[in-house]
Amino acid sequence: MPVKVLVIGGGFAGAQVAIDLAKCQHVDVTLVTRTDYFEASFANARSVVDPSIADQALWLYEAMKPHGTFIQGEVTQLSNSTAVLADGTQLAFDYAAIATGSSYAVGKSSTALTLQQRLQELQGLAARVKAARSVLVVGGGPLGVELAGEVLTDLPGVEVTLVHGGQRLLPSLTPKASAAAEAWLRSKGCKLLLGDKLQVPPGSSGGPFSGTTSAGVAVAADVLLMATGITTNSGLLAQTLPDALDPQGRVKVDATLRVVGHPRLFALGDVTDVPEEKLAFLASQQGQLVAASIAALAAAHVAGGQAATDAAGKRLGRWRPSKGIAVMIVTLGRGYAVGRIGCLTLRGWLPTAIKARNLEGFVSKYRRQLMAQP
């Protein structure tokens, strides 16, 4: 009997698990995700000014490399051995990989279930931004800075305002990198409201907005772009396995990415409490690790039963947060970028060449990695 594996969520982490396990003997893998398309979400900021990149950054799961049985649906109940979908379908499993990811206002909170709906959504937003005379960005983390940078670069006549609750932009980078990003934005005419906050009604992102910040500054724009951080998509576990979550709603995992207290469940990607930046390349590599671990457990089970499986479980690979050194690059349009490698500040030509001028290359890399015919 093959070992049944359920992968919940088809982003960078989940897709990698499913593709790797589909190659393994003695494993029957099923991937469940709510959409029929994969989205390289790191290209979302660029798509706001250049929707053509979305044609490359989104693709159907049916175009992926073999990844087992695909089900477009939503898991609404989960135990240690069974999942229930919204339509009532029950899926029994031996192991599950929870890769439900995260959401934020621009790009990862879409209600679009089909590829065509998502492309239309992105094209509509890009058209509104292109027609705008003013854009308001709320949030000064990586997404907010990238959104402001893309608009200032491709649409230099548009007035851009960025509101950020912290005293410095990009708090996950070094102070020097933050200062370089701030200087670049100001040099392009961006109005920065740092240490200030703005109450925004849900669903306002992408449309016109006017209001007053907590400091009493009146702001108005033809298009509002929300970038106020990520929300972990862990509602499924909050309902059925609440002990698996920390107070912030993140899934608690051990060094092998097993869910604490639930050895048949793994969790990976944005949904976990791993202390690191939630980046595509890290999620993908976590997918490789989890797939290798489940494959080892499956092989041990087939060869020697429960005793061999227990022994294999003690030898699983371990994840080092950020692979041992924090790396991040934040683009400001096509011509500038800042970043960090550990405590080292990156700015100028190097991060620009790596990512800002080569974003399409990053998309192509994952197309080759995940698609049957990129």
Side-chain angles (χ1 to χ4, degrees), residues 252-289:
K252 297 181 291 186
V253 294
D254 63 19
T256 67
L257 300 181
R258 275 175 153 171
V259 178
V260 174
H262 302 273
R264 296 172 67 180
L265 305 180
F266 290 78
L268 61 165
D270 290 9
V271 78
T272 73
D273 67 345
V274 175
E276 64 186 5
E277 294 296 326
K278 305 304 184 181
L279 304 174
F281 82 94
L282 293 176
S284 179
Q285 291 180 26
Q286 286 184 4
Q288 294 170 354
L289 175 66

Side-chain angles (χ1 to χ4, degrees), residues 103-144:
S103 301
Y104 50 77
V106 178
K108 293 178 71 176
S109 63
S110 172
T111 58
L113 298 179
T114 70
L115 176 63
Q116 191 58 40
Q117 290 172 345
R118 182 61 179 140
L119 288 172
Q120 291 174 351
E121 206 173 57
L122 291 170
Q123 290 163 358
L125 177 59
R128 293 193 296 276
V129 170
K130 185 175 182 180
R133 291 175 296 178
S134 57
V135 169
L136 172 62
V137 178
V138 179
L143 177 61

Side-chain angles (χ1 to χ4, degrees), residues 35-114:
T35 70
D36 70 357
Y37 61 90
F38 178 92
E39 182 167 5
S41 53
F42 58 77
N44 284 334
R46 179 70 51 85
S47 72
V48 167
V49 296
D50 181 8
S52 67
I53 196 172
D55 294 331
Q56 295 297 308
L58 285 81
W59 56 83
L60 293 169
Y61 283 104
E62 67 181 30
M64 300 264 266
K65 293 177 180 178
H67 51 275
T69 301
F70 174 77
I71 298 176
Q72 183 180 354
E74 184 174 2
V75 177
T76 57
Q77 298 179 50
L78 183 68
S79 71
N80 288 305
S81 60
T82 306
V84 180
L85 306 187
D87 65 2
T89 300
Q90 295 192 22
L91 300 173
F93 59 82
D94 297 296
Y95 297 98
I98 302 163
T100 45
S102 60
S103 301
Y104 50 77
V106 178
K108 293 178 71 176
S109 63
S110 172
T111 58
L113 298 179
T114 70

